[in-house]
Amino acid sequence: MNEAGCIFCKIIKREIPSKIVFENDLNLAFLDISPISKGHTIVIPKKHYSTLEDIPEDELAETIKVVKKISINIHKSLEIDGYNILQNNFAAAGQVVKHFHMHIIPRSYDDDKFRLEIPKNQASDEELNEIYGQLKF
Ligand code: 5GP
Ligand code: ZN
């Protein structure tokens, strides 16, 4: 399953070049062309799914296995202190390429890239209860 015009589908089909670091039947991992840090890698399923909501759970599980394998290799091979796994869904969350993908972003204590600083907003018990009522299964 490929989608016309999708840049990642073109990478899978070798219609555009990329630095592929790992490939199996279902997944592909390649270096990000505009890396946030050295070794920034993208992992994708070979089938075109737009977001997390579209990829079947068994295929998602296979993709996560590859993310783990590549992450361990990056951690072993590069002099880094850690890494972020990032996965954007929909434009509002910063998704640009509409082919489900996971970022592996190598990090060092002093890399001055970005820090996930989670803003601490206040929420009353009433507000928490309201959203809890909407979300709990
Ligand atoms: P998003 O913002 O959609 O989560 O991230 C898409 C990522 O794909 C970006 O980090 C961008 O640099 C990367 N990317 C976009 N086009 C290409 C390409 O043609 N080749 C490679 N290797 N990476 C790409
Ligand atoms: Zn695609």
Side-chain angles (χ1 to χ4, degrees), residues 110-121:
D110 58 355
D111 67 12
D112 272 342
K113 301 295 180 191
F114 65 91
R115 294 282 154 212
L116 285 179
E117 284 171 14
I118 300 174
K120 301 285 184 202
N121 296 317

Side-chain angles (χ1 to χ4, degrees), residues 54-67:
D54 305 309
I55 183 169
E57 286 174 15
D58 56 337
E59 293 180 43
L60 177 62
E62 292 305 313
T63 303
I64 296 283
K65 283 185 202 170
V66 173
V67 168

Side-chain angles (χ1 to χ4, degrees), residues 67-111:
V67 168
K68 177 169 179 172
K69 182 186 185 75
I70 304 296
S71 297
I72 291 170
N73 188 49
I74 285 175
H75 199 185
K76 261 195 330 214
S77 307
L78 305 180
E79 281 181 19
I80 56 167
D81 302 311
Y83 46 89
N84 295 104
I85 306 296
L86 187 68
Q87 201 274 305
N88 299 323
N89 295 285
F90 304 104
Q95 183 178 12
V96 174
V97 178
K98 292 177 180 56
H99 181 128
F100 174 82
H101 57 277
M102 302 190 76
H103 296 256
I104 305 169
I105 304 165
R107 303 302 304 271
S108 301
Y109 285 116
D110 58 355
D111 67 12

